[in-house]
Amino acid sequence: MSGTAYALVILACVGILGVLFYWQILLAEGAYLGQRVVTWLYDIYAARYDAIKQYDSNMEALFLGIPLGNTLSGYPAPLVLDVGTGTGRLAVVLLAEPSFQGRLIGIDASLPMLEIAAEKNRSYGDRAIFLWRDALYLPFPDGCFDCVTCLEMLEFTPSPEQQLAEAVRVLRPGGLLLTTRRRGKSALLMPGKTHSRIAFTALLEYLGMEDVSIQAWQVEYNLVWAVKAGSSSPQANFLESVLICQTCGCTDWQRNGTDLACRVCGTVYPICSRVIHYQNQGQA
Ligand SMILES: C[S@@+](CC[C@H](N)C(=O)[O-])C[C@H]1O[C@@H](n2cnc3c(N)ncnc32)[C@H](O)[C@@H]1O
């Protein structure tokens, strides 16, 4: 093979690698390479995440904080779970709403993302609590949250359908789900991870949701609102009454500034930088 042919082959290989890098790492953020890669990338991005996203606080309030706060204002002290909470974007905007008088638990697989979330929401004290944990299996009983939110996260999980089913499981009948649907050109480049409007609505209805409303929002995402079929009264409004101990299965905790201890079996989970280290088995 001539020198020119070699150069062309090398150029083609570099080009293919570049395209693969753009697709798999920058666009899909490791979604096809496994949860460890996704989490690792968020660990690396964490310090720059907010600067890259540049959320406009007015728009965040208009599309998230105000409608969510108003919808939940009918409940005395709603308990919200934010799945894939990242740097605490939803907590910041919801807890700032005077109409919202509840508490929020944020869960995420990336510790550096959570540490930023916890710091940003420090002033809310116990009203914003953050758990470091993979969210594919949520350590909460069925139907214990008044509202579950899951923004810009589903497509990065190993199974968006399973993740959504898990979010719905912990939502009480009559409770509110707020999630996102990836849309536009980037969604086409994430086959198997994203859904058409029709398929997403059908999936939610299959999971027992009703009043599904898909709303225009960002270039790459729709906001999706839905209500879990049925009705039930709010049951609990703080972490210690809903978190299931991974050792004994009880929900009886004692918490101080440095750890969370199960009163039944004595298992202790550390709290560092205001984040509860509640990893599932096998998580790094
Ligand atoms: C694009 S960010 C969105 C963060 C936040 N919801 C927002 O809207 O700014 C996706 C987040 O999902 C988290 N994530 C991805 N897979 C996860 C999993 N299986 N369990 C928990 N968190 C996960 C990532 O660590 C990351 O913080």
Side-chain angles (χ1 to χ4, degrees):
M1 205 188 279
S2 71
T4 314
Y6 269 125
L8 284 175
V9 169
I10 289 170
L11 212 61
C13 289
V14 169
I16 289 168
L17 285 176
V19 169
L20 281 176
F21 179 83
Y22 172 79
W23 176 35
Q24 291 294 321
I25 304 295
L26 299 182
L27 190 134
E29 299 179 15
Y32 296 97
L33 305 175
Q35 184 63 53
R36 279 175 189 271
V37 177
V38 171
T39 303
W40 176 69
L41 288 173
Y42 278 103
D43 287 353
I44 294 173
Y45 289 152
R48 284 173 295 143
Y49 183 83
D50 286 350
I52 293 169
K53 288 287 191 175
Q54 294 198 327
Y55 295 126
D56 176 324
S57 56
N58 292 328
M59 298 305 273
E60 291 286 285
L62 192 65
F63 282 92
L64 299 174
I66 294 172
L68 200 51
N70 286 346
T71 310
L72 296 175
S73 64
Y75 309 145
L79 187 61
V80 176
L81 176 69
D82 187 32
V83 180
T85 200
T87 56
R89 168 214 203 151
L90 190 86
V92 166
V93 75
L94 181 60
L95 289 160
E97 275 308 308
S99 59
F100 179 71
Q101 292 299 316
R103 293 167 187 250
L104 179 143
I105 299 170
I107 190 164
D108 202 283
S110 166
L111 182 58
M113 295 286 277
L114 282 175
E115 286 174 343
I116 294 170
E119 186 53 37
K120 277 161 60 178
N121 289 282
R122 176 181 280 275
S123 62
Y124 296 110
D126 267 6
R127 290 185 64 206
I129 292 187
F130 296 96
L131 287 190
W132 179 28
R133 182 185 166 94
D134 187 307
L136 198 52
Y137 298 99
L138 295 167
F140 305 107
D142 296 357
C144 65
F145 288 96
D146 299 300
C147 173
V148 177
T149 55
C150 183
L151 303 180
E152 303 187 20
M153 183 261 191
L154 292 173
E155 66 272 28
F156 303 117
T157 62
S159 167
E161 295 79 13
Q162 194 180 332
Q163 186 63 70
L164 204 52
E166 188 64 353
V168 171
R169 179 186 68 77
V170 299
L171 186 62
R172 73 172 172 80
L176 180 70
L177 176 75
L178 173 60
T179 187
T180 50
R181 183 189 80 88
R182 187 93 178 217
R183 62 178 289 271
K185 287 183 194 142
S186 69
L188 298 176
L189 293 170
M190 295 189 72
K193 299 282 183 186
T194 55
H195 302 81
S196 68
R197 289 173 82 102
I198 291 174
F200 203 63
T201 304
L203 174 61
L204 283 167
E205 288 174 350
Y206 171 77
L207 293 173
M209 304 300 295
E210 52 190 28
D211 298 337
V212 178
S213 157
I214 299 186
Q215 176 192 344
W217 186 37
Q218 298 174 172
V219 177
E220 291 188 332
Y221 289 98
N222 288 128
L223 271 182
V224 182
W225 303 80
V227 175
K228 187 164 173 178
S231 71
S232 67
S233 311
Q235 291 166 356
N237 58 14
F238 55 99
L239 175 88
E240 285 87 339
S241 58
V242 294
L243 185 66
I244 295 175
C245 175
Q246 302 188 83
T247 309
C248 70
C250 292
T251 53
D252 189 3
W253 299 95
Q254 179 158 20
R255 179 159 55 100
N256 59 38
T258 56
D259 54 47
L260 177 74
C262 175
R263 284 187 215 263
V264 178
C265 69
T267 305
V268 174
Y269 296 94
I271 303 177
C272 306
S273 305
R274 303 191 64 252
V275 175
I276 301 173
H277 289 216
Y278 202 77
Q279 295 117 299
N280 19 10
Q281 283 178 349
Q283 193 174 340

